Amino acid sequence: MLFSKQTRRRSLLRSSRPGRKRLSFWKTVAISVGMMLVVIAAVALFEPDHIQLSSVLVGLVEGILFCVCIAGGAFYGARIVERYLGNRPIVVQGLATVISWMLSGFCGSMLAYGLIGLIFPNVDRPPVTVMARIALNNGIVAVVLGVIFFLIRVVLRWIGKRTALIRQQSLLTAEFEAARSVQRSLLPAEDAHIPGFDISGATDPAVEIGGDYYDYLTLAGGSSGILVADAAGKGIPAALVMAKFQGMAQALSIHSTDPLRLLRDLNDTLRIRLARKNFITVGIITIAPDGECAFHRAGHNGLLLWRAATGKVEICQPPGMALGLADGNVLERSLQPARFTMATGDIAMLYSDGLTEASGADGEYGEERVIAALRHAAATERSALGVQTALFGALAEYVGEADPHDDVTVVVVRKVGDGDGVSGEGKSSSQSSVNQLPDDGSETIH
């Protein structure tokens, strides 16, 4: 069957049709007549001996006339108030509506008496004073019934809005869970297996889905790449940008012989595919088959290197601008890789800015606390997974119950040896110039 009937759902971004649903005139009259018929049926049921068919028919016609006149007056009176006093305070609208209902009861009753006299000229009519008293009582009854119907309508409207809101929240929750599942599928199913290295990565989005991304790549030249990226913003917009970036990185890495070429290709593709206001920061470690390492930083956080021999942390922060801000030539001139080697037990750590910018009772977590947490975890844990778990644990302890500020991603790369994977006698063999920082156990690689 070419065309099949499908269930369609209103977009959550599209509001309902403007304007309020109103009760039509004929529905108003029908409800009034229906109530009157219920009353007559009840009287006939409880006093059948005192009811004659002719009197029932006359009473039915009279009741219909009263219902039409009174309900019609109340209906159009409320419409007039809504039209001409719709922008006035709610107290003014309410008072005017009550007056219109009172007038509809009184004037509608007098009009009904006149029509009854024309239709049934031989029927005895009560004195004018009695008719006026009945008309006034009908006005009071119209006000009471109007207030009751108004309250019922308010309650039903509130229940309807509440039900619709709960339905939309349930739908949004299900769709966010599905989106988070899809985003998780874009991340590596397992950590990379690079000979001589123990690797563990994880990301924790600030909301259901986030704009952080990490991946393990294999370049055309034979080097292995470990990449962490952070799209500007967070939530759904950043997640959509990062999903597109993930496909680009996977597709371009197999044709790139070095990370500099990969970053340039990613930058040029992003500038074509994305709006100019979008940019992505990237940090990538490449490990050559001989164990030589290099770090390229495209506007991203620096790389932290913990040296097992000294217990100190080096901050590797070479120059480089974010992807998507300038053309490939400008980007390529800004990127200057930092090259280094790792001894047994050394740990390299890539992370996103959500780690340092996380807020707790004492302010931002900050780079100093990150370095202290890395130093403690590296000295006590014997695996990359243990170090990564300890870093997230230290962050959670500091933040406490505060709402997440941004997505957090951490990738830990640990150099292992032939024995238990840790050698306290390993020497740092960094080939970069290192400047000693004062008394905080950290150094900076330029």
Side-chain angles (χ1 to χ4, degrees):
M1 188 174 182
L2 183 59
F3 297 99
S4 60
K5 191 174 182 180
Q6 297 179 351
T7 301
R8 302 187 64 184
R9 176 177 59 82
R10 183 183 294 273
S11 170
L12 296 176
L13 301 179
R14 187 182 302 121
S15 61
S16 59
R17 186 180 303 173
R20 295 179 297 177
K21 294 182 178 180
R22 299 183 178 95
L23 198 63
S24 67
F25 171 75
W26 296 111
K27 288 182 179 178
T28 304
V29 172
I31 291 174
S32 302
V33 173
M35 293 177 60
M36 183 269 299
L37 291 176
V38 170
V39 173
I40 293 178
V43 173
L45 179 64
F46 290 104
E47 297 186 5
D49 298 335
H50 298 83
I51 301 298
Q52 297 180 358
L53 180 60
S54 59
S55 61
V56 170
L57 294 176
V58 172
L60 179 61
V61 173
E62 291 179 350
I64 292 176
L65 290 174
F66 271 96
C67 289
V68 170
C69 294
I70 296 175
F75 176 82
Y76 285 109
R79 285 292 183 87
I80 292 173
V81 171
E82 182 180 357
R83 179 174 180 179
Y84 294 101
L85 300 178
N87 296 326
R88 298 298 179 88
I90 188 67
V91 176
V92 175
Q93 296 183 46
L95 181 61
T97 302
V98 170
I99 294 175
S100 70
W101 287 341
M102 175 65 74
L103 291 176
S104 68
F106 184 84
C107 297
S109 297
M110 300 306 293
L111 177 60
Y113 277 126
L115 294 175
I116 291 171
L118 294 175
I119 298 173
F120 304 106
N122 298 323
V123 176
D124 294 334
R125 289 183 292 175
V128 176
T129 55
V130 176
M131 289 192 299
R133 190 181 304 115
I134 293 175
L136 181 60
N137 291 336
N138 286 341
I140 297 175
V141 172
V143 171
V144 174
L145 292 178
V147 171
I148 293 174
F149 288 146
F150 174 77
L151 294 177
I152 292 175
R153 187 177 179 185
V154 169
V155 171
L156 292 178
R157 185 180 298 173
W158 180 84
I159 293 175
K161 289 183 178 179
R162 182 70 177 174
T163 303
L165 180 61
I166 293 174
R167 188 184 301 114
Q168 286 192 358
Q169 287 179 339
S170 300
L171 186 59
L172 279 173
T173 300
E175 291 185 351
F176 271 123
E177 289 177 353
R180 187 168 189 173
S181 177
V182 171
Q183 188 179 48
R184 285 178 175 175
S185 69
L186 300 178
L187 298 175
E190 58 181 16
D191 290 310
H193 300 284
I194 301 176
F197 293 89
D198 178 22
I199 302 171
S200 179
T203 185
D204 184 20
V207 290
E208 283 80 0
I209 53 179
D212 277 11
Y213 164 68
Y214 75 94
D215 208 347
Y216 308 122
L217 308 173
T218 300
L219 303 183
S223 298
S224 299
I226 304 167
L227 176 147
V228 171
D230 183 5
K234 58 184 176 181
I236 295 177
L240 294 175
V241 171
M242 194 51 69
K244 183 173 288 188
F245 177 81
Q246 188 264 356
M248 296 176 187
Q250 290 285 349
L252 294 174
S253 62
I254 59 176
H255 302 290
S256 302
T257 57
D258 60 82
L260 190 61
R261 174 66 181 275
L262 173 61
L263 291 173
R264 174 168 181 164
D265 291 344
L266 285 171
N267 179 80
D268 293 341
T269 307
L270 285 171
R271 286 175 60 81
I272 295 173
R273 298 292 184 182
L274 299 180
R276 288 291 182 264
K277 64 180 179 179
N278 291 321
F279 65 91
I280 297 176
T281 66
V282 179
I284 179 171
I285 300 175
T286 53
I287 303 175
D290 60 359
E292 182 73 18
C293 301
F295 175 61
H296 291 73
R297 188 182 73 93
H300 202 71
N301 300 89
L303 174 73
L304 299 183
L305 282 170
W306 180 80
R307 300 297 187 178
T310 62
K312 294 184 177 181
V313 176
E314 300 170 5
I315 305 173
C316 185
Q317 197 163 356
M321 66 187 305
L323 305 184
L325 298 178
D327 60 49
N329 293 327
V330 176
L331 173 73
E332 192 169 0
R333 288 195 298 268
S334 72
L335 293 172
Q336 297 182 16
R339 304 187 184 280
F340 59 94
T341 57
M342 297 176 65
T344 299
D346 288 352
I347 291 176
M349 173 184 164
L350 279 171
Y351 63 96
S352 63
D353 58 6
L355 181 61
T356 55
E357 294 177 359
S359 298
D362 297 330
E364 284 192 351
Y365 194 51
E367 190 176 62
E368 293 183 359
R369 290 187 177 90
V370 173
I371 292 174
L374 173 61
R375 189 184 301 116
H376 179 267
T380 56
E381 301 293 337
R382 289 295 179 264
S383 68
L385 176 59
V387 173
Q388 176 250 110
T389 303
L391 291 171
F392 274 104
L395 176 65
E397 182 179 357
Y398 178 81
V399 172
E401 299 297 327
D403 292 333
H405 173 76
D406 200 357
D407 311 321
V408 178
T409 299
V410 173
V411 178
V412 174
V413 182
R414 181 174 177 271
K415 186 71 169 67
V416 298
D418 296 332
D420 59 2
V422 175
S423 175
E425 300 176 358
K427 298 292 183 179
S428 169
S429 54
S430 172
Q431 297 180 356
S432 305
S433 58
V434 177
N435 292 338
Q436 182 73 36
L437 295 182
D439 297 333
D440 63 351
S442 62
E443 301 170 338
T444 302
I445 299 178
H446 297 288

